[in-house]
Amino acid sequence: MKAPMHEHVEPKDGGFLAFIRRTSWTGRQYNAIRMDQHCLHQEQQKRLRRLLDIARARSPCYRDKFRHLDADCTDLAEFPVTTKTEMMAHFDEVVTDPTVTRAAVERFIADIRNVKEPFLGKYCVAHTSGSQGQPALIVQDQLVLDLLFAFQMTRGNPRFRGLQRFTQAVRNLLHPTRLAVLISQQGFFPSAWIWERLPKFMHRFMRFLFLPANDPDLVAKLNEFSPTVLTATPTTLDLLSLKIDQFHFPSLRQVVTWSETLTEPARRRIAEAFRVPVMDNYAMGECMFLTNGCPTASGSHVNADWVILEVVDEQYQPVPPGQLGHKVLLTNLANTVQPFIRYEIGDRLVMATEPCGCGNHLPRIEKLLGRAADFFWVRTPTGFRPLTAYPFQHAFDYLRDVREWQAEQVERNRVVVRLEPIPGATPDLTTAQNRLDERLAPTGLLPELDICIETVTRLTTDVHTAKFRRMISRVGVPDDLDPSLKNVVRDFALFQA
Ligand SMILES: [Zn+2]
C-alpha cells in the first residue's frame, strides 16, 4: 500500500513561501479547462487508482464490496453501486480512518458551536441531503475545500481566462474579491458552512459579507459593501431583481446561484436585472466542488479531473449525452476519508453534446431536473409571499429519525406536515416543531402560519402522476397576486410542466 498521494500543498497556513505555493497551486487548478480528452482521462485514472487503493486497503466495507474484482481493476463500470442507505448503515466500515465513527460525528454535529471547528482536528463534516430521502453524514478531507475555493477563484471566474489570469491573481491581491453571500440558515449544511471554512490564505484575496436573505437592511448593507460577486439561491435573486432599482453595484462582475435549480427563464431575468453573467453551481454535500457555472450557456461544467459523474438509467446503464438520465453515480476523487465510489444520487440530468462556446473543455451539464424549489404563496399583511421547501427540508434534515417529509398547504396560511419515520423510529414531534419554527423564523412568515405536524407510517406518491411530491398546495396561486410577482409564478408553472 502506497502512502496517500498529496497533490496539494500542506494544509497548514503560514509563511510567505507557503503562501506562494498555495497561491500557485490554486492558480494551476485552472489548467483542466484547457485539457484534451486524453489528458483529462489520464488525470481521472491516476486519481481513481489512488482512491480505489485507499478504499481497498483501509475501508472494510469497500474491501468486501470489491472482493470479486481484480486488485488492479480501475474500470468503474465493473464496480458495484453504493446507495445512501448503505453508506449510512455501514458508516463505520466505509470510512478509512478508524477514529472516525458515526457516533462521534453525530455527537460533534449535535453541537452547533462546532460549525467552525475541524472534526478530530482535521476533517470537515456536514449533515445533508434529506431532499433525497434519508439524510447523510459526510466527512471530508481538507483537499475538498481547497479545491472548492480554487475552482471558484479560477474556473468559476469568467475573468480568469487566457493570459489575463496571471494579472488577475495580482489584481485580486490589490483589490480583493468582495463576495456577498445571502444565506437562509446556519448549521452543518454544506451550503452554509463552507463559507466558514475558507482556507486562511484565501482571505488575502477575498472579503466576505454574510447576510440572511431576509435582513431588513439588506439593500443598505449590500450597497455599502458593493459586491463584485453576489451569491444566493435563484429564488432569492429573483425576488431581489424585483427591486433592482434600489441596488447600486458598480463593481459587480458575476452572480452565482446555488442550492436550487436555476431555470432558464430565471437565469434570463436575473441576468437582465443585474447585467452580469449568471454562473449556476450545481453541487451536493457529497461533492461540493462538483461543478462551476458557465458564463455563456445554461447549466454548469463538471470538474471532471477530480470527480467522475456517470449519468445512468434505472438499470445503471450509461445514458449518452443529450438524453435525460434517471440518476447519476458520483465518484469523488478528492475525498479519501469517506470514499464515495459510484454513489447513487437521484438527480436527473442531461449532458451537453457539443463543445461549449465559453472555451471550457470540461463536460457541461446542460439541464438538471428534480430540484425545483416548490413553494406556497402565503398571505401576509403586506401582500403574498412565497414559502419555499427549504425551511422544511432544513428542519427535517436535522431529524435523523425522519426518512421523508411532505408539506400540504390545505388553506392559504395553514400547512399540514407529515413525517415518515425511519423504520422502528419514533420522531419527537415537539423537537420537529421547534426545528421548523427555527427555520421559519428568518423568513418572517412564522407568525402568519398555522402548522400542524403529524407522523405517518408511509408517505405515498401522487395518484395521478405516480411521482412523490414534498410540497402540495390545495389552494394554488392567489388570484389577486401582485403582477410584479407573476413571472416567479410563470417560471414555477413552467417547471412543473
Ligand atoms: Zn461553458
Side-chain angles (χ1 to χ4, degrees):
M1 171 66 208
K2 284 182 294 189
M5 178 171 59
H6 288 290
E7 296 199 35
H8 73 309
V9 283
E10 67 277 24
K12 288 200 167 41
D13 291 289
F16 183 67
L17 272 180
F19 171 71
I20 293 293
R21 273 205 301 275
R22 293 187 65 113
T23 304
S24 161
W25 179 85
T26 300
R28 285 201 306 280
Q29 299 313 312
Y30 170 83
N31 297 346
I33 278 186
R34 298 282 177 212
M35 261 179 207
D36 61 36
Q37 291 305 308
H38 176 70
C39 287
L40 187 63
H41 183 71
Q42 281 191 322
E43 285 288 290
Q44 269 188 352
Q45 284 297 304
K46 183 177 77 180
R47 290 168 183 153
L48 177 61
R49 171 161 292 286
R50 164 199 180 230
L51 178 70
L52 293 173
D53 283 350
I54 292 172
R56 282 179 166 122
R58 303 191 206 153
S59 160
C61 179
Y62 281 118
R63 192 184 304 136
D64 189 47
K65 275 174 77 91
F66 299 165
R67 68 182 181 282
H68 63 290
L69 295 164
D70 289 340
D72 58 352
C73 176
T74 54
D75 179 7
L76 258 195
E78 299 286 321
F79 283 75
V81 167
T82 298
T83 63
K84 184 183 289 180
T85 309
E86 198 182 352
M87 176 71 82
M88 291 312 297
H90 304 284
F91 185 90
D92 292 359
E93 292 80 46
V94 167
V95 292
T96 59
D97 178 345
T99 61
V100 175
T101 63
R102 179 172 176 168
V105 174
E106 288 186 342
R107 269 198 308 276
F108 184 78
I109 65 170
D111 186 348
I112 198 79
R113 287 169 303 181
N114 283 330
V115 72
K116 293 184 183 180
E117 301 299 321
F119 174 62
L120 299 178
K122 55 183 169 179
Y123 297 124
C124 318
V125 295
H127 171 217
T128 184
S129 272
S131 59
Q132 301 282 344
Q134 185 189 23
L137 296 173
I138 300 157
V139 183
Q140 311 177 77
D141 294 309
Q142 177 67 32
L143 174 59
V144 169
L145 282 190
D146 290 354
L147 286 172
L148 175 69
F149 290 108
F151 293 163
Q152 291 290 353
M153 294 286 284
T154 58
R155 302 177 190 184
N157 177 357
R159 295 197 176 187
F160 200 90
R161 291 287 184 272
L163 290 172
Q164 290 171 13
R165 64 183 191 268
F166 298 108
T167 51
Q168 186 67 40
V170 178
R171 205 177 295 156
N172 266 348
L173 265 182
L174 298 173
H175 305 285
T177 297
R178 292 189 301 281
L179 174 66
V181 184
L182 306 184
I183 44 179
S184 47
Q185 76 286 320
Q186 283 289 346
F188 280 96
F189 305 106
S191 52
W193 67 259
I194 49 170
W195 309 107
E196 309 280 359
R197 297 297 309 275
L198 183 76
K200 282 198 186 68
F201 87 104
M202 279 282 186
H203 286 277
R204 302 194 196 200
F205 295 99
M206 290 178 125
R207 302 280 183 272
F208 288 92
L209 176 68
F210 300 98
L211 282 177
N214 65 329
D215 190 306
D217 299 321
L218 189 75
V219 175
K221 286 177 181 172
L222 278 177
N223 283 341
E224 192 194 339
F225 183 69
S226 185
T228 55
V229 180
L230 175 62
T231 296
T233 63
T235 306
T236 300
L237 289 165
D238 232 347
L239 292 172
L240 288 188
S241 64
L242 295 175
K243 42 184 174 183
I244 192 72
D245 295 345
Q246 300 173 33
F247 293 110
H248 303 288
F249 300 153
S251 312
L252 190 68
R253 297 197 310 251
Q254 69 188 98
V255 166
V256 179
T257 65
W258 57 331
S259 180
E260 299 167 4
T261 302
L262 177 70
T263 60
E264 198 44 38
R267 164 198 283 280
R268 280 201 297 276
R269 280 198 303 275
I270 295 166
E272 276 166 25
F274 291 92
R275 296 170 187 277
V276 291
V278 178
M279 310 280 278
D280 180 25
N281 283 13
Y282 159 59
M284 56 204 59
E286 291 86 349
C287 187
M288 292 184 301
F289 60 78
L290 181 61
T291 73
N292 286 101
C294 174
T296 60
S298 66
S300 40
H301 289 275
V302 178
N303 290 312
D305 51 335
W306 279 104
V307 63
I308 300 173
L309 196 64
E310 301 170 79
V311 181
V312 294
D313 65 16
E314 273 178 294
Q315 278 74 47
Y316 304 103
Q317 295 307 304
V319 171
Q323 292 181 25
L324 180 64
H326 197 81
K327 44 196 162 192
V328 289
L329 302 178
L330 172 91
T331 302
N332 181 339
L333 302 174
N335 190 9
T336 56
V337 61
Q338 183 181 359
F340 290 92
I341 300 168
R342 301 200 91 202
Y343 179 78
E344 183 176 334
I345 307 245
D347 289 344
R348 308 191 63 190
L349 50 90
V350 180
M351 298 303 296
T353 50
E354 301 292 323
C356 191
C358 76
N360 185 335
H361 295 181
L362 293 168
R364 181 169 62 90
I365 297 169
E366 188 171 78
K367 204 190 268 178
L368 171 69
L369 295 182
R371 285 190 159 198
D374 292 7
F375 51 81
F376 300 149
W377 288 101
V378 174
R379 188 186 298 277
T380 76
T382 55
F384 291 103
R385 297 243 330 264
L387 168 62
T388 72
Y390 290 92
F392 298 98
Q393 182 183 323
H394 292 146
F396 306 130
D397 273 4
Y398 259 114
L399 301 177
R400 286 184 290 275
D401 285 348
V402 173
R403 195 196 74 79
E404 188 54 273
W405 62 270
Q406 186 173 59
E408 182 175 350
Q409 184 182 26
V410 290
E411 292 169 26
R412 179 59 60 203
N413 286 17
R414 191 158 166 265
V415 176
V416 174
V417 176
R418 288 181 282 271
L419 304 179
E420 182 190 314
I422 286 169
T426 312
D428 176 12
L429 292 185
T430 310
T431 307
Q433 183 77 57
N434 290 341
R435 289 287 179 268
L436 183 58
D437 288 356
E438 285 166 18
R439 297 299 168 191
L440 283 171
T443 68
L445 294 172
L446 185 57
E448 313 300 333
L449 289 165
D450 171 13
I451 294 181
C452 164
I453 303 185
E454 57 190 36
T455 49
V456 293
T457 322
R458 190 106 190 105
L459 289 167
T460 51
T461 53
D462 186 88
V463 283
H464 303 294
T465 62
K467 285 181 184 161
F468 177 72
R469 292 172 62 199
R470 291 191 183 82
M471 299 282 279
I472 299 169
S473 178
R474 297 292 169 209
V475 290
V477 178
D479 295 332
D480 50 340
L481 190 67
D482 183 333
S484 67
L485 293 168
K486 280 271 157 68
N487 45 7
V488 176
V489 182
R490 195 173 57 228
D491 192 5
F492 178 57
L494 196 78
F495 190 87
Q496 289 297 88

